[in-house]
Amino acid sequence: MNKQSKPALLWAALCGVLAVGFGLLAAELVAGFLSPSLSAVTAVGGTVIDVVPPGVKDWAIASFGTSDKFFFLIGMALVIAILAALAGILELKRKSWGLVAVGIFGLLGLLAVLARSAGSLAGNGVLVLVSPLLAAALSIVLLRVLINRLRGWRAVAGSLQNLDEASRTQPAGQERRLFLRNIGLSAAATALTALVTAAIRGSQAAYQAAREKLKLPMAQQAAAPISANAQLALNGITSLVTPNKQFYRIDTALAVPVINPNDWQLKVTGLVDREISMNLAELLNQPMQERYVTIACVSNEVGGDLIGNARWLGWPVREILAKAGVKPGADMVLSRSSDGFTASTPLQAMTDQRDAMIAVGMNGELLPAEHGFPARLIVPGLYGFVSATKWLTELKVTTFAADVAYWSTRGWSDHGPIKQSSRIDLPRSGSAVPAGPTVLGGMAWAQQRGVSKVELSVDGGDWQPVKLASAISKDTWVQWQAELMLDRGEHQVRVRCVDGLGEVQSSEVAPPAPDGSSGYHQITLRVG
Ligand SMILES: Nc1nc2c(c(=O)[nH]1)N[C@H]1C(S)=C(S)[C@@H](COP(=O)(O)O)O[C@H]1N2
Ligand SMILES: [Mo]
């Protein structure tokens, strides 16, 4: 251990605070930019609040009242600052030890984020891990740079101690100036990052406040309650209705568009008799209907999980089109999002009895920002890229000949009916299962036509029908369950479904591009 003078230790503590402060704030900035619901600091705070004994929470609420959150954040900042200062001192005394300490804090932050988002990584994917990792990485790099500079200064100053005053101020002075300049730059960068982060979070707070004032309208036509026979009593089976936080998210938006509901407008343009412009209050006043619809991504591989089922609340698209008056000749609606994304949907699918809707509600809540707040399209039976425009701002009535949508210019088909498909979710492929009866379960879908049968084939043998739950509707997926007696050894099990018209799922193996994957989902089981 090398002995350091008191001022050196104070400088090292400051280095620690600046390094960790900058790292955390920069990570907050990136998280805030990506999505209003991503934040390592909030996740760590939330986890702390979760694990603190109830007595302490009661005491905090009693002593600080409604400012308890504010004081909690101040307290958290203090604890982080003290730990960061200690890490700085440690790094000065023992090279790399401080960095390891910061790395450990980062790891704890990562665990807190994981604990908070348990099971819901699906929504924002790996993005939730970005914030703690980035914070740790930036803090470590900056701490290393600053402490190395500090060391350089102390080393020169120390080695020159025996020389006379005049000859030692020169190099030591240079090193000192370099160090101070680094400290100054870091402080400025930290302050700037803090300002930008505060600005982003401020506008998001305004969005949150405006959002909280909104009330999800009542459905004029509510969805019928789900029959008990639609939900199989099978442990671990995919839930029939996908919770919003677990709903797959696919879009081209790097940063989730955060739309202030007070500024939002929906326009109907193009081949119409009367253009329409409508604000959110007007939209929410329209007669709403509620439907369970299973939407899917064209990029979903056979057996994949880019599919989800929700109870959507919305206004039928055909109603707004009728108000606008569609001119003869039109055959497509080009929907546009606030971020420029467009989808081309056949006019037919927007106006027929399938109930395409401008959705504002998802499973009883306003749309989450990630899923298109304040309004998006939901068109039963079509893949998302040709129908499910989120952050919807415009419906242009047009023709396939005149307009081309975002993905149609990028090698994907411009008509996108969802291919009927099925999936084995239980057990996971590659599982070892004990000898005796093996229970399997999964999902099947054939939107617009419904599923009439699900069948399994073991090791290429005959197709055997399995138990099929009742469907919520033709537009939703259906759960299935089976019990197989398998011999010891390795087995391949495949699944297929039959739709409501008797059409058997296609065995032709196709990749997602250009119009959706096909083929049978197969799993391997080791029975022993
Ligand atoms: N604005 C916008 N809307 C979009 C997309 C997009 O990239 N931008 N992607 C579409 C695609 S490809 C799919 S599969 C669905 C996914 O909807 P979800 O993220 O709510 O599951 O949204 C559609 N709507
Ligand atoms: Mo998609």
Side-chain angles (χ1 to χ4, degrees), residues 167-188:
S167 52
R168 88 170 132 122
T169 48
Q170 185 53 21
Q174 238 171 44
E175 287 291 332
R176 178 170 174 273
R177 265 199 302 282
L178 257 178
F179 171 69
L180 289 181
R181 193 162 76 199
N182 273 286
I183 287 282
L185 281 176
S186 307

PDB file of all heavy atoms in Angstrom, residues 167-188:
ATOM      1  N   SER A 167      13.332  24.540  -9.807  1.00  0.00           N
ATOM      2  CA  SER A 167      13.424  23.514 -10.846  1.00  0.00           C
ATOM      3  C   SER A 167      12.325  22.477 -10.705  1.00  0.00           C
ATOM      4  O   SER A 167      12.075  21.712 -11.624  1.00  0.00           O
ATOM      5  CB  SER A 167      14.800  22.854 -10.816  1.00  0.00           C
ATOM      6  OG  SER A 167      15.077  22.411  -9.501  1.00  0.00           O
ATOM      7  N   ARG A 168      11.658  22.423  -9.562  1.00  0.00           N
ATOM      8  CA  ARG A 168      10.627  21.369  -9.491  1.00  0.00           C
ATOM      9  C   ARG A 168       9.221  21.855  -9.822  1.00  0.00           C
ATOM     10  O   ARG A 168       8.351  21.053 -10.139  1.00  0.00           O
ATOM     11  CB  ARG A 168      10.696  20.676  -8.148  1.00  0.00           C
ATOM     12  CG  ARG A 168       9.871  21.301  -7.036  1.00  0.00           C
ATOM     13  CD  ARG A 168       9.834  20.380  -5.849  1.00  0.00           C
ATOM     14  NE  ARG A 168      10.140  21.102  -4.633  1.00  0.00           N
ATOM     15  CZ  ARG A 168       9.274  21.124  -3.623  1.00  0.00           C
ATOM     16  NH1 ARG A 168       8.128  20.516  -3.698  1.00  0.00           N
ATOM     17  NH2 ARG A 168       9.589  21.791  -2.554  1.00  0.00           N
ATOM     18  N   THR A 169       8.993  23.161  -9.786  1.00  0.00           N
ATOM     19  CA  THR A 169       7.639  23.614 -10.121  1.00  0.00           C
ATOM     20  C   THR A 169       7.322  23.341 -11.581  1.00  0.00           C
ATOM     21  O   THR A 169       6.188  23.107 -11.938  1.00  0.00           O
ATOM     22  CB  THR A 169       7.456  25.121  -9.872  1.00  0.00           C
ATOM     23  OG1 THR A 169       8.562  25.772 -10.452  1.00  0.00           O
ATOM     24  CG2 THR A 169       7.336  25.433  -8.407  1.00  0.00           C
ATOM     25  N   GLN A 170       8.328  23.362 -12.439  1.00  0.00           N
ATOM     26  CA  GLN A 170       8.063  23.272 -13.864  1.00  0.00           C
ATOM     27  C   GLN A 170       7.332  21.980 -14.255  1.00  0.00           C
ATOM     28  O   GLN A 170       6.145  22.025 -14.582  1.00  0.00           O
ATOM     29  CB  GLN A 170       9.387  23.473 -14.631  1.00  0.00           C
ATOM     30  CG  GLN A 170       9.257  23.512 -16.144  1.00  0.00           C
ATOM     31  CD  GLN A 170       8.237  24.535 -16.600  1.00  0.00           C
ATOM     32  OE1 GLN A 170       7.893  25.482 -15.867  1.00  0.00           O
ATOM     33  NE2 GLN A 170       7.697  24.345 -17.778  1.00  0.00           N
ATOM     34  N   PRO A 171       7.987  20.791 -14.182  1.00  0.00           N
ATOM     35  CA  PRO A 171       7.291  19.563 -14.606  1.00  0.00           C
ATOM     36  C   PRO A 171       6.101  19.240 -13.706  1.00  0.00           C
ATOM     37  O   PRO A 171       5.040  18.860 -14.210  1.00  0.00           O
ATOM     38  CB  PRO A 171       8.365  18.479 -14.525  1.00  0.00           C
ATOM     39  CG  PRO A 171       9.504  19.050 -13.750  1.00  0.00           C
ATOM     40  CD  PRO A 171       9.379  20.522 -13.759  1.00  0.00           C
ATOM     41  N   ALA A 172       6.220  19.396 -12.415  1.00  0.00           N
ATOM     42  CA  ALA A 172       5.105  19.091 -11.533  1.00  0.00           C
ATOM     43  C   ALA A 172       3.946  20.009 -11.863  1.00  0.00           C
ATOM     44  O   ALA A 172       2.790  19.597 -11.899  1.00  0.00           O
ATOM     45  CB  ALA A 172       5.520  19.235 -10.078  1.00  0.00           C
ATOM     46  N   GLY A 173       4.269  21.258 -12.157  1.00  0.00           N
ATOM     47  CA  GLY A 173       3.223  22.212 -12.505  1.00  0.00           C
ATOM     48  C   GLY A 173       2.496  21.781 -13.765  1.00  0.00           C
ATOM     49  O   GLY A 173       1.273  21.872 -13.862  1.00  0.00           O
ATOM     50  N   GLN A 174       3.254  21.228 -14.695  1.00  0.00           N
ATOM     51  CA  GLN A 174       2.634  20.786 -15.942  1.00  0.00           C
ATOM     52  C   GLN A 174       1.667  19.624 -15.693  1.00  0.00           C
ATOM     53  O   GLN A 174       0.541  19.630 -16.168  1.00  0.00           O
ATOM     54  CB  GLN A 174       3.731  20.309 -16.887  1.00  0.00           C
ATOM     55  CG  GLN A 174       3.746  21.067 -18.185  1.00  0.00           C
ATOM     56  CD  GLN A 174       4.981  20.689 -18.978  1.00  0.00           C
ATOM     57  OE1 GLN A 174       5.323  19.507 -19.073  1.00  0.00           O
ATOM     58  NE2 GLN A 174       5.649  21.673 -19.543  1.00  0.00           N
ATOM     59  N   GLU A 175       2.150  18.663 -14.942  1.00  0.00           N
ATOM     60  CA  GLU A 175       1.307  17.496 -14.625  1.00  0.00           C
ATOM     61  C   GLU A 175       0.071  17.925 -13.853  1.00  0.00           C
ATOM     62  O   GLU A 175      -1.022  17.398 -14.053  1.00  0.00           O
ATOM     63  CB  GLU A 175       2.103  16.472 -13.789  1.00  0.00           C
ATOM     64  CG  GLU A 175       3.156  15.718 -14.578  1.00  0.00           C
ATOM     65  CD  GLU A 175       2.535  14.757 -15.577  1.00  0.00           C
ATOM     66  OE1 GLU A 175       1.410  14.278 -15.338  1.00  0.00           O
ATOM     67  OE2 GLU A 175       3.169  14.504 -16.622  1.00  0.00           O
ATOM     68  N   ARG A 176       0.272  18.889 -12.969  1.00  0.00           N
ATOM     69  CA  ARG A 176      -0.837  19.372 -12.148  1.00  0.00           C
ATOM     70  C   ARG A 176      -1.879  20.045 -13.044  1.00  0.00           C
ATOM     71  O   ARG A 176      -3.081  19.783 -12.924  1.00  0.00           O
ATOM     72  CB  ARG A 176      -0.277  20.353 -11.126  1.00  0.00           C
ATOM     73  CG  ARG A 176      -1.305  20.976 -10.234  1.00  0.00           C
ATOM     74  CD  ARG A 176      -0.640  21.736  -9.099  1.00  0.00           C
ATOM     75  NE  ARG A 176      -1.634  22.457  -8.327  1.00  0.00           N
ATOM     76  CZ  ARG A 176      -2.042  23.676  -8.656  1.00  0.00           C
ATOM     77  NH1 ARG A 176      -1.537  24.291  -9.701  1.00  0.00           N
ATOM     78  NH2 ARG A 176      -2.975  24.275  -7.918  1.00  0.00           N
ATOM     79  N   ARG A 177      -1.360  20.876 -13.956  1.00  0.00           N
ATOM     80  CA  ARG A 177      -2.297  21.555 -14.854  1.00  0.00           C
ATOM     81  C   ARG A 177      -3.069  20.543 -15.696  1.00  0.00           C
ATOM     82  O   ARG A 177      -4.271  20.664 -15.881  1.00  0.00           O
ATOM     83  CB  ARG A 177      -1.531  22.518 -15.772  1.00  0.00           C
ATOM     84  CG  ARG A 177      -1.498  23.961 -15.241  1.00  0.00           C
ATOM     85  CD  ARG A 177      -1.153  24.972 -16.328  1.00  0.00           C
ATOM     86  NE  ARG A 177       0.130  24.692 -16.967  1.00  0.00           N
ATOM     87  CZ  ARG A 177       1.309  24.988 -16.416  1.00  0.00           C
ATOM     88  NH1 ARG A 177       1.366  25.568 -15.225  1.00  0.00           N
ATOM     89  NH2 ARG A 177       2.427  24.710 -17.050  1.00  0.00           N
ATOM     90  N   LEU A 178      -2.360  19.530 -16.178  1.00  0.00           N
ATOM     91  CA  LEU A 178      -3.018  18.495 -16.983  1.00  0.00           C
ATOM     92  C   LEU A 178      -4.143  17.825 -16.191  1.00  0.00           C
ATOM     93  O   LEU A 178      -5.251  17.622 -16.672  1.00  0.00           O
ATOM     94  CB  LEU A 178      -1.998  17.420 -17.381  1.00  0.00           C
ATOM     95  CG  LEU A 178      -1.500  17.481 -18.818  1.00  0.00           C
ATOM     96  CD1 LEU A 178      -0.461  16.401 -19.059  1.00  0.00           C
ATOM     97  CD2 LEU A 178      -2.663  17.335 -19.786  1.00  0.00           C
ATOM     98  N   PHE A 179      -3.806  17.472 -14.946  1.00  0.00           N
ATOM     99  CA  PHE A 179      -4.801  16.814 -14.093  1.00  0.00           C
ATOM    100  C   PHE A 179      -6.011  17.715 -13.873  1.00  0.00           C
ATOM    101  O   PHE A 179      -7.155  17.310 -14.048  1.00  0.00           O
ATOM    102  CB  PHE A 179      -4.164  16.435 -12.746  1.00  0.00           C
ATOM    103  CG  PHE A 179      -5.164  15.962 -11.727  1.00  0.00           C
ATOM    104  CD1 PHE A 179      -5.815  14.743 -11.897  1.00  0.00           C
ATOM    105  CD2 PHE A 179      -5.481  16.740 -10.610  1.00  0.00           C
ATOM    106  CE1 PHE A 179      -6.751  14.315 -10.962  1.00  0.00           C
ATOM    107  CE2 PHE A 179      -6.418  16.314  -9.686  1.00  0.00           C
ATOM    108  CZ  PHE A 179      -7.043  15.105  -9.855  1.00  0.00           C
ATOM    109  N   LEU A 180      -5.721  18.967 -13.532  1.00  0.00           N
ATOM    110  CA  LEU A 180      -6.831  19.893 -13.254  1.00  0.00           C
ATOM    111  C   LEU A 180      -7.678  20.119 -14.500  1.00  0.00           C
ATOM    112  O   LEU A 180      -8.897  20.249 -14.418  1.00  0.00           O
ATOM    113  CB  LEU A 180      -6.289  21.219 -12.722  1.00  0.00           C
ATOM    114  CG  LEU A 180      -5.717  21.121 -11.289  1.00  0.00           C
ATOM    115  CD1 LEU A 180      -5.209  22.480 -10.826  1.00  0.00           C
ATOM    116  CD2 LEU A 180      -6.763  20.572 -10.318  1.00  0.00           C
ATOM    117  N   ARG A 181      -7.001  20.126 -15.662  1.00  0.00           N
ATOM    118  CA  ARG A 181      -7.779  20.323 -16.873  1.00  0.00           C
ATOM    119  C   ARG A 181      -8.719  19.128 -17.090  1.00  0.00           C
ATOM    120  O   ARG A 181      -9.877  19.293 -17.449  1.00  0.00           O
ATOM    121  CB  ARG A 181      -6.857  20.483 -18.077  1.00  0.00           C
ATOM    122  CG  ARG A 181      -7.642  21.017 -19.279  1.00  0.00           C
ATOM    123  CD  ARG A 181      -6.752  21.578 -20.327  1.00  0.00           C
ATOM    124  NE  ARG A 181      -6.124  20.501 -21.048  1.00  0.00           N
ATOM    125  CZ  ARG A 181      -5.024  20.640 -21.775  1.00  0.00           C
ATOM    126  NH1 ARG A 181      -4.427  21.802 -21.853  1.00  0.00           N
ATOM    127  NH2 ARG A 181      -4.517  19.615 -22.413  1.00  0.00           N
ATOM    128  N   ASN A 182      -8.215  17.930 -16.819  1.00  0.00           N
ATOM    129  CA  ASN A 182      -9.065  16.735 -16.935  1.00  0.00           C
ATOM    130  C   ASN A 182     -10.247  16.788 -15.989  1.00  0.00           C
ATOM    131  O   ASN A 182     -11.368  16.435 -16.342  1.00  0.00           O
ATOM    132  CB  ASN A 182      -8.241  15.484 -16.653  1.00  0.00           C
ATOM    133  CG  ASN A 182      -7.557  14.978 -17.898  1.00  0.00           C
ATOM    134  OD1 ASN A 182      -8.197  14.409 -18.766  1.00  0.00           O
ATOM    135  ND2 ASN A 182      -6.273  15.234 -18.011  1.00  0.00           N
ATOM    136  N   ILE A 183      -9.956  17.239 -14.760  1.00  0.00           N
ATOM    137  CA  ILE A 183     -11.038  17.358 -13.776  1.00  0.00           C
ATOM    138  C   ILE A 183     -12.076  18.365 -14.272  1.00  0.00           C
ATOM    139  O   ILE A 183     -13.287  18.119 -14.247  1.00  0.00           O
ATOM    140  CB  ILE A 183     -10.469  17.819 -12.408  1.00  0.00           C
ATOM    141  CG1 ILE A 183      -9.700  16.670 -11.744  1.00  0.00           C
ATOM    142  CG2 ILE A 183     -11.562  18.330 -11.497  1.00  0.00           C
ATOM    143  CD1 ILE A 183     -10.561  15.642 -11.099  1.00  0.00           C
ATOM    144  N   GLY A 184     -11.588  19.492 -14.795  1.00  0.00           N
ATOM    145  CA  GLY A 184     -12.489  20.537 -15.268  1.00  0.00           C
ATOM    146  C   GLY A 184     -13.352  20.034 -16.419  1.00  0.00           C
ATOM    147  O   GLY A 184     -14.578  20.233 -16.428  1.00  0.00           O
ATOM    148  N   LEU A 185     -12.715  19.346 -17.369  1.00  0.00           N
ATOM    149  CA  LEU A 185     -13.459  18.823 -18.521  1.00  0.00           C
ATOM    150  C   LEU A 185     -14.511  17.816 -18.057  1.00  0.00           C
ATOM    151  O   LEU A 185     -15.653  17.839 -18.524  1.00  0.00           O
ATOM    152  CB  LEU A 185     -12.500  18.150 -19.505  1.00  0.00           C
ATOM    153  CG  LEU A 185     -11.716  19.098 -20.415  1.00  0.00           C
ATOM    154  CD1 LEU A 185     -10.725  18.322 -21.274  1.00  0.00           C
ATOM    155  CD2 LEU A 185     -12.691  19.881 -21.306  1.00  0.00           C
ATOM    156  N   SER A 186     -14.125  16.934 -17.137  1.00  0.00           N
ATOM    157  CA  SER A 186     -15.067  15.921 -16.649  1.00  0.00           C
ATOM    158  C   SER A 186     -16.247  16.585 -15.961  1.00  0.00           C
ATOM    159  O   SER A 186     -17.400  16.179 -16.133  1.00  0.00           O
ATOM    160  CB  SER A 186     -14.386  14.972 -15.664  1.00  0.00           C
ATOM    161  OG  SER A 186     -13.229  14.450 -16.223  1.00  0.00           O
ATOM    162  N   ALA A 187     -15.946  17.607 -15.158  1.00  0.00           N
ATOM    163  CA  ALA A 187     -17.022  18.295 -14.439  1.00  0.00           C
ATOM    164  C   ALA A 187     -17.966  18.960 -15.440  1.00  0.00           C
ATOM    165  O   ALA A 187     -19.198  18.872 -15.311  1.00  0.00           O
ATOM    166  CB  ALA A 187     -16.439  19.320 -13.471  1.00  0.00           C
ATOM    167  N   ALA A 188     -17.395  19.575 -16.481  1.00  0.00           N
ATOM    168  CA  ALA A 188     -18.226  20.251 -17.477  1.00  0.00           C
ATOM    169  C   ALA A 188     -19.087  19.223 -18.211  1.00  0.00           C
ATOM    170  O   ALA A 188     -20.285  19.429 -18.424  1.00  0.00           O
ATOM    171  CB  ALA A 188     -17.345  21.010 -18.461  1.00  0.00           C
TER     172      ALA A 188
END
